[in-house]
C-alpha cells in the first residue's frame, strides 16, 4: 500500500507532551548537535535549507566542486522500533517518570482509521510512533545522533537531519569517494535500525559532470539499486539546484496557484481590509514560501502583481503601481510583491545570522566576494558600501530604484551583472531593485 497513514494524537495529550518538552529543554540540549534541525529548540526547516544553500553558494563562488545525496526513508515513523526508542531515551538520561508515562501511553494507544467521515475498528500497532506526537521529533533526532557522529568521522563530509529527511554533502578533493563512503554508511545504519530505504524517492546530485555520471551508474550495495542523479530538486520546501541560476519550478508553480486564487478572490464580496488580510495570511504565505532561495522572472512578478491589483478592481484607478500600493494599505501591510520578496529575504537572513555566528560570517564573506567580483576601476558597485575604505559611516550615493516589473519601463536584463548563483545573491538583487545599499556588516541604507 502506497498510502501514508498519519497518526494524530488527542489535543489533550499534545498539550501535555508540549508542556513536558518545554520543561526538558536542558535535557534535549545536553545531547543535541548542530546537524539536527528538528526536535531541538529554535531550529526548523528554513534553518536547514538556508545553511545548505549558502554553503553551496560559497562553493560556486570559490569554484569548488561538490556532490551530495538524499536518502528517503519509506514510512519512517511507522517503522521505528519502540523498544529501541525507550532504551536510547533511558541511556540519554530522559527523566524516568516522563519516560515511563511516554512508554505507557504508546503501548496502550488505540488507533482508529478515519476516512471520508467514517471511523474504523480499533487496533494497536506493534511498531512505530505517532507523527502527531510532540515527542516524536525529539525521539527521531535522538536515534539519528549516532549516525551524525559516524558522518563526522568521514573527513570533508557534512550531514543534515530533519525528521526523515537525510542529506549528505561532500566537497573538494576526492568528494565522490567521501560521498560514496558516507552514503554506504548511511544505508547500513538505517537498515540495521530497521528502516526501509526507498531508492525511487532518493536522489544524488553533483556540480561536476564526471561525478554525476559515476553516481548515476553506481549500484549501491546495501540497497541493491541505483539512485537517480538530479540537477535540481525540492528540499524542505525550498529549491536546491546545481545549475548556475537559482531558478525554481517549485516557486513558479506556487505563483501560478496563487494567481488563480487572486482571480477568485476578486469576486468575493468582502471589503478592502478583509481582502488584504486574506492575501497576506493565505496567498502570500503560500506563494512566497522559499522565495529567499529562488529567483522569480520579472514577467511572473508582473503577472502576479496585476492579479493583486485586480482584486481591488473598484480602487484600481491609479496607473502608477507604486502609488496604488502606497495608498491601499499602511507600510506594515504593504502588498507590493517586490517589497514582500525583499522583506522575506532580509528577514530570513537576519534570523539565521542571529541564531548562528558561523552562518553570519559566511553571509558576510559571500557579500564581500560579490562586491569584489563587481568592483571596477577600484570603485565598489553601487549597491555596496565599505565604511573603512571610503571613510564614511553612511553612503552618499545610491543606485536608482528599478522600475516595477509590471511597468513598460522595466528592463529584463537589469541584473545581468550580478551572476546569480545563490541565496545571498538574491538578497543583493532585492536590495538593488529597491535602490538601497548594503555594507559588509549587513547594514542596509535607503536614500532619504
Amino acid at each position: 500500500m502506497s498510502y501514508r497513514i498519519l497518526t494524530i494524537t488527542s489535543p489533550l495529550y499534545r498539550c501535555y507532551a508540549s508542556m513536558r518538552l518545554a520543561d526538558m529543554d536542558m535535557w534535549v540540549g545536553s545531547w543535541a548537535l548542530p546537524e539536527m534541525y528538528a526536535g531541538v529548540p529554535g531550529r526548523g526547516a528554513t534553518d536547514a535549507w538556508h545553511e545548505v544553500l549558502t554553503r553551496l553558494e560559497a562553493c560556486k563562488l570559490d569554484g569548488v566542486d561538490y556532490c551530495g545525496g538524499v536518502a528517503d526513508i519509506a514510512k519512517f515513523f511507522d517503522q521505528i522500533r519502540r523498544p529501541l526508542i525507550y532504551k536510547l531515551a533511558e541511556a540519554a538520561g530522559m527523566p524516568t517518570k516522563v519516560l515511563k508515562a511516554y512508554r505507557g501511553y504508546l503501548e496502550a494507544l488505540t488507533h482508529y482509521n478515519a476516512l471520508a467521515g467514517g471511523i474504523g475498528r480499533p487496533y494497536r500497532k506493534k511498531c512505530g510512533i505517532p507523527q502527531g506526537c510532540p515527542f516524536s521529533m525529539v525521539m527521531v533526532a535522538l536515534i539519528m545522533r549516532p549516525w551524525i557522529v559516524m558522518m563526522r568521522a568521514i573527513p570533508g563530509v557534512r550531514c543534515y537531519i530533519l525528521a526523515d529527511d537525510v542529506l549528505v554533502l561532500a566537497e573538494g578533493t576526492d568528494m565522490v569517494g567521501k560521498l560514496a563512503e558516507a552514503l554506504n554508511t548511511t544505508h547500513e545504519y538505517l537498515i540495521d535500525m530497521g528502516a526501509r530505504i526507498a531508492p525511487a524517492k532518493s536522489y544524488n546530485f553533483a556540480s561536476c559532470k564526471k561525478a554525476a555520471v559515476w553516481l548515476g551508474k553506481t549500484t549501491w550495495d546495501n540497497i541493491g539499486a541505483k539512485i537517480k542523479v538530479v540537477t535540481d530538486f525540492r528540499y524542505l520546501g525550498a529549491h536546491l539546484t546545481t545549475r548556475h541560476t537559482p531558478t525554481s519550478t517549485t516557486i513558479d508553480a506556487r505563483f501560478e496557484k496563487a494567481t488563480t486564487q487572486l482571480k477568485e478572490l476578486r469576486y468575493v464580496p468582502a471589503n478592502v481590509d478583509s481582502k488584504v488580510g486574506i492575501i497576506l495570511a493565505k496567498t502570500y504565505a503560500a506563494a512566497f514560501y522559499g522565495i529567499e532561495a529562488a529567483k522569480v522572472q520579472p514577467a511572473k512578478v508582473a503577472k502576479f502583481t496585476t492579479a493583486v491589483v485586480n482584486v481591488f478592481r473598484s480602487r484600481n484607478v491609479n496607473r502608477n503601481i507604486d502609488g496604488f500600493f502606497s495608498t491601499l494599505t499602511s507600510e506594515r501591510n504593504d502588498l507590493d510583491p517586490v517589497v514582500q520578496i525583499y522583506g522575506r529575504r532580509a528577514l530570513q537572513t537576519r534570523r539565521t545570522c542571529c541564531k548562528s555566528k558561523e552562518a553570519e560570517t559566511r553571509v558576510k564573506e559571500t557579500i564581500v566576494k560579490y562586491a569584489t567580483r563587481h568592483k571596477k576601476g577600484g570603485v565598489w558597485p553601487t549597491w555596496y558600501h565599505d565604511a573603512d575604505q571610503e571613510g564614511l559611516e553612511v553612503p552618499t550615493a545610491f543606485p536608482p530604484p528599478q522600475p516595477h516589473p509590471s511597468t513598460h519601463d522595466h528592463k529584463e536584463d537589469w541584473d545581468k551583472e550580478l551572476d546569480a548563483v545563490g541565496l545571498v545573491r538574491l538578497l543583493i538583487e532585492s536590495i538593488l531593485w529597491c535602490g538601497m545599499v548594503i555594507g559588509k556588516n549587513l547594514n542596509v541604507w535607503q536614500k532619504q
Side-chain angles (χ1 to χ4, degrees):
M1 185 176 67
S2 60
Y3 294 103
R4 175 180 293 183
I5 300 175
L6 301 179
T7 305
I8 309 299
T9 54
S10 67
L12 183 61
Y13 170 75
R14 292 202 300 271
C15 289
Y16 158 80
S18 298
M19 291 171 59
R20 281 288 172 262
L21 275 180
D23 293 336
M24 294 194 300
D25 277 355
M26 293 185 63
W27 171 67
V28 175
S30 67
W31 51 261
L33 298 175
E35 293 87 346
M36 298 175 180
Y37 289 91
V40 296
R43 291 185 184 175
T46 52
D47 300 299
W49 59 250
H50 195 282
E51 159 74 17
V52 174
L53 291 173
T54 52
R55 192 169 293 281
L56 295 186
E57 183 175 12
C59 289
K60 292 177 182 179
L61 282 172
D62 296 335
V64 177
D65 284 325
Y66 60 87
C67 59
V70 176
D72 184 89
I73 308 170
K75 300 179 181 178
F76 185 46
F77 286 88
D78 296 326
Q79 295 187 64
I80 292 177
R81 300 179 183 181
R82 291 198 295 271
L84 177 62
I85 286 285
Y86 306 146
K87 289 292 184 181
L88 283 172
E90 183 180 4
M94 185 175 181
T96 306
K97 293 183 179 179
V98 178
L99 176 57
K100 181 180 179 181
Y102 177 62
R103 181 195 292 115
Y105 177 79
L106 291 186
E107 296 305 322
L109 187 62
T110 302
H111 298 256
Y112 297 84
N113 290 338
L115 181 63
I119 303 295
R121 294 180 179 179
Y123 67 96
R124 291 184 179 179
K125 292 184 177 181
K126 295 182 179 180
C127 61
I129 57 178
Q131 293 91 335
C133 171
F135 278 111
S136 293
M137 285 295 187
V138 177
M139 295 305 170
V140 168
L142 182 59
I143 63 176
M144 293 302 292
R145 191 181 191 277
W147 171 77
I148 295 175
V149 175
M150 295 167 71
M151 293 298 101
R152 286 183 171 186
I154 305 175
V157 167
R158 300 179 185 275
C159 64
Y160 306 87
I161 175 72
L162 191 148
D164 56 346
D165 288 291
V166 175
L167 185 143
V168 180
L169 183 65
E171 57 189 58
T173 307
D174 193 28
M175 62 177 186
V176 177
K178 296 172 184 175
L179 178 64
E181 181 182 355
L183 288 179
N184 282 323
T185 303
T186 300
H187 297 159
E188 184 178 0
Y189 179 81
L190 293 174
I191 292 172
D192 289 345
M193 195 175 62
R196 181 167 58 87
I197 300 170
K201 295 182 179 181
S202 301
Y203 34 81
N204 295 329
F205 57 93
S207 61
C208 172
K209 183 176 181 180
K210 186 177 180 181
V213 171
W214 185 87
L215 289 171
K217 293 181 178 179
T218 300
T219 299
W220 301 92
D221 296 336
N222 292 314
I223 59 177
K226 295 180 179 179
I227 298 177
K228 63 182 176 182
V229 177
V230 297
T231 56
D232 59 320
F233 58 94
R234 183 176 173 179
Y235 177 62
L236 302 177
H239 203 80
L240 192 153
T241 178
T242 58
R243 292 179 283 109
H244 188 69
T245 304
T247 53
S248 169
T249 55
T250 304
I251 286 293
D252 290 345
R254 288 172 181 163
F255 263 59
E256 289 297 328
K257 183 177 180 181
T259 300
T260 302
Q261 291 177 351
L262 290 170
K263 290 178 180 178
E264 295 172 352
L265 181 60
R266 176 178 180 177
Y267 301 100
V268 173
N271 58 33
V272 172
D273 291 338
S274 297
K275 288 186 176 181
V276 169
I278 292 171
I279 292 173
L280 290 173
K282 181 180 180 181
T283 308
Y284 281 4
F288 294 141
Y289 184 78
I291 196 69
E292 302 89 342
K295 179 179 177 62
V296 184
Q297 297 301 329
K300 294 187 179 295
V301 177
K303 181 181 177 182
F304 187 75
T305 302
T306 301
V308 174
V309 173
N310 287 338
V311 169
F312 309 93
R313 62 189 185 281
S314 62
R315 295 177 59 93
N316 187 12
V317 295
N318 192 334
R319 295 299 178 184
N320 183 295
I321 199 70
D322 293 321
F324 173 81
F325 284 120
S326 63
T327 58
L328 181 67
T329 61
S330 63
E331 292 182 358
R332 183 177 181 182
N333 295 324
D334 198 325
L335 284 185
D336 190 343
V338 172
V339 176
Q340 289 285 333
I341 291 172
Y342 164 70
R344 280 166 165 76
R345 288 172 177 172
L347 184 62
Q348 182 56 45
T349 300
R350 179 183 178 184
R351 179 177 182 269
T352 303
C353 291
C354 288
K355 295 167 70 173
S356 170
K357 284 295 180 183
E358 182 183 357
E360 180 182 2
T361 301
R362 186 165 54 252
V363 170
K364 289 180 178 179
E365 291 176 348
T366 303
I367 289 176
V368 174
K369 288 177 183 177
Y370 276 116
T372 303
R373 172 177 288 192
H374 297 97
K375 192 175 184 180
K376 296 180 180 179
V379 179
W380 293 109
T382 56
W383 51 264
Y384 181 75
H385 176 68
D386 191 320
D388 296 334
Q389 290 192 17
E390 298 180 23
L392 297 171
E393 289 296 326
V394 180
T396 56
F398 292 82
Q402 297 299 315
H404 202 279
S406 61
T407 64
H408 294 294
D409 297 329
H410 183 81
K411 297 179 180 179
E412 290 287 334
D413 61 346
W414 70 275
D415 61 344
K416 64 181 180 180
E417 295 183 353
L418 279 177
D419 293 340
V421 298
L423 187 147
V424 177
R425 163 15 186 113
L426 293 172
L427 173 63
I428 296 172
E429 177 190 86
S430 288
I431 288 172
L432 179 58
W433 201 339
C434 297
M436 297 188 291
V437 174
I438 189 171
K440 63 181 180 181
N441 291 322
L442 303 184
N443 296 320
V444 177
W445 296 272
Q446 187 174 21
K447 188 176 182 180
Q448 299 298 322

